[in-house]
Amino acid sequence: MKGYVFHGPGKSAWEDVPDPGIKDPTDAIVRVDTVTICGTDLHILKGDVPEVPPGTVLGHEAVGEIVETGSDVRTVRPGDRVLVSCITACGRCRFCKDGAYGQCRGGGGWILGHLIDGTQAEYVRVPHADLSVHPLPGALESKDAVLFADIFPTAYEVGVLNGAVRPGDTVAVVGAGPIGLAAIITARLYSPERIIAVDLADARLEAARRFGADAVAPVRDEPEQLVADLTGGIGADVVIEAVGVPESFEMCTRMVRPGGRVANVGVHGKPAALHLEDLWIKNVTITTGLVDTSSTPTLLRMAASGRMPTTDLVTHSFALDQMAEAYEVFARAADTGALKVVLGGKPHDELAVPAA
């Protein structure tokens, strides 16, 4: 089959790779229909995630069809259309029993496109399939469903829930890429008083307004001052960091009010300064986290019922074998206007329906 292979920082290619097969009785093999590219994939290509070995097929998000299952798989069968989660969960270790699937110690966590071959290929092996793939509602198109493999649960769990967004809060979202936009969408579920979006790119700030930001602030226009002005000089109740660079994290800690919360979502490849000389007296809570995807079933139900806007997040579509071009467009988002790029895809009613 073909897959998109990481060959070291700055090196990758769509090339022939071995077909995956069942290795463990809890595995499933999925024929990939639709995939997308994550900002974390860009971090890998930059060398920010050194534990990814050269030769790894990238990707941790997909929609596809089950074509084979191991003998212990009980919740899906060949022919089922599923979402492949970015997180794999064994269901048995201490962390999985607490619902913290991202910290799985039983061979799960974030492994696809990280420690084992991922989803940016024609087929993918998914370990621990019972908890790591989700049957999809028929009403949800693949290009929309794939957004719930990572960006929506990540923004919701690591940003909105960790940040403890409450009714009446002022929420600042630093970074209006796909994760930041999903944070804006899901923060609105909690009726904050206002959401302020901060970004370098005017096009992304326009998108933030479309998805529910009440105010936007280009980085060049002193966004910290805007937050102060809108809050009577106090600062934001919740600041969500959705970029992953030292400057954005440090900005977030300056924007937050005393007693407020900073929820870091961004993937950081370099150290950021923690200015405890300023923060020690402010009663600030800072959270970090890898998504657990425990919210995915709930978010999928909301999407299927039309309560989660998704379609406008997808700005570019490509065939699966146009992976290199899609990466180029996504990596140059400031020039191309890319929010989320989707590859592959076909009407889901073309998938085979298993016999009863």
Side-chain angles (χ1 to χ4, degrees):
M1 69 170 187
K2 296 285 189 180
Y4 197 67
V5 181
F6 172 68
H7 289 294
K11 300 176 183 178
S12 55
W14 178 255
E15 60 189 47
D16 291 327
V17 293
D19 291 346
I22 298 292
K23 292 185 178 179
D24 298 303
T26 55
D27 289 350
I29 305 299
V30 176
R31 182 170 64 229
V32 173
D33 167 32
T34 304
V35 298
T36 184
I37 301 170
C38 180
T40 303
D41 297 321
L42 298 183
H43 280 281
I44 292 171
L45 288 177
K46 290 177 183 176
D48 291 344
V49 190
E51 60 268 28
V52 179
T56 301
V57 175
L58 294 179
H60 50 265
E61 308 158 89
V63 169
E65 180 187 7
I66 300 284
V67 295
E68 185 180 0
T69 58
S71 58
D72 288 350
V73 175
R74 297 288 180 267
T75 61
V76 291
R77 60 179 181 172
D80 286 350
R81 176 174 168 261
V82 297
L83 174 72
V84 178
S85 175
C86 66
I87 296 296
T88 303
C90 77
R92 299 185 302 273
C93 71
R94 170 184 174 178
F95 291 103
C96 283
K97 288 179 179 178
D98 289 340
Y101 305 135
Q103 303 302 322
C104 175
R105 292 298 185 269
W110 173 37
I111 58 173
L112 291 172
H114 179 208
L115 305 179
I116 67 172
D117 285 339
T119 59
Q120 290 172 4
E122 294 175 315
Y123 293 85
V124 60
R125 178 180 73 92
V126 183
H128 304 299
D130 279 336
L131 283 175
S132 307
V133 300
H134 301 274
L136 284 171
L140 196 57
E141 293 293 341
S142 296
K143 64 182 175 59
D144 299 321
V146 75
L147 304 180
F148 293 87
D150 186 350
I151 66 164
F152 270 97
T154 295
Y156 179 59
E157 295 175 19
V158 186
V160 175
L161 295 186
N162 280 3
V165 175
R166 296 183 291 227
D169 276 352
T170 291
V171 179
V173 179
V174 177
I179 291 287
L181 296 174
I184 290 169
I185 292 167
T186 52
R188 286 176 58 83
L189 299 172
Y190 291 86
S191 300
E193 179 182 1
R194 64 175 67 86
I195 299 174
I196 305 163
V198 178
D199 201 276
L200 290 165
D202 291 338
R204 289 195 164 189
L205 293 175
E206 291 173 10
R209 281 197 183 278
R210 292 198 304 272
F211 286 107
D214 302 286
V216 299
V219 171
R220 63 181 179 273
D221 289 348
E222 300 184 358
E224 296 165 55
Q225 187 60 52
L226 173 64
V227 171
D229 292 344
L230 290 175
T231 58
I234 293 174
D237 300 286
V238 181
V239 186
I240 297 173
E241 199 285 339
V243 181
V245 298
E247 294 82 2
S248 60
F249 174 78
E250 293 166 32
M251 178 189 296
C252 290
T253 63
R254 295 191 297 268
M255 282 182 175
V256 69
R257 68 163 172 83
R261 288 89 65 195
V262 175
N264 183 87
V265 188
V267 177
H268 289 264
K270 298 178 181 178
L274 182 62
H275 290 284
L276 287 176
E277 74 277 11
D278 299 322
L279 294 171
W280 73 270
I281 201 170
K282 292 182 66 175
N283 295 17
V284 170
T285 298
I286 298 174
T287 60
T288 65
L290 175 66
V291 65
D292 295 314
T293 66
S294 56
S295 67
T296 301
T298 298
L299 294 172
L300 283 173
R301 289 196 300 272
M302 295 180 69
S305 66
R307 296 182 181 274
M308 199 71 65
T310 55
T311 301
D312 290 344
L313 275 170
V314 178
T315 54
H316 295 75
S317 298
F318 300 88
L320 202 59
D321 61 3
Q322 293 178 296
M323 196 71 68
E325 181 181 349
Y327 263 90
E328 177 70 14
V329 167
F330 187 58
R332 296 190 303 105
D335 300 322
T336 63
L339 295 176
K340 203 65 174 167
V341 303
V342 166
L343 299 97
K346 58 184 176 181
H348 61 76
D349 58 5
E350 291 183 18
L351 295 179
V353 177

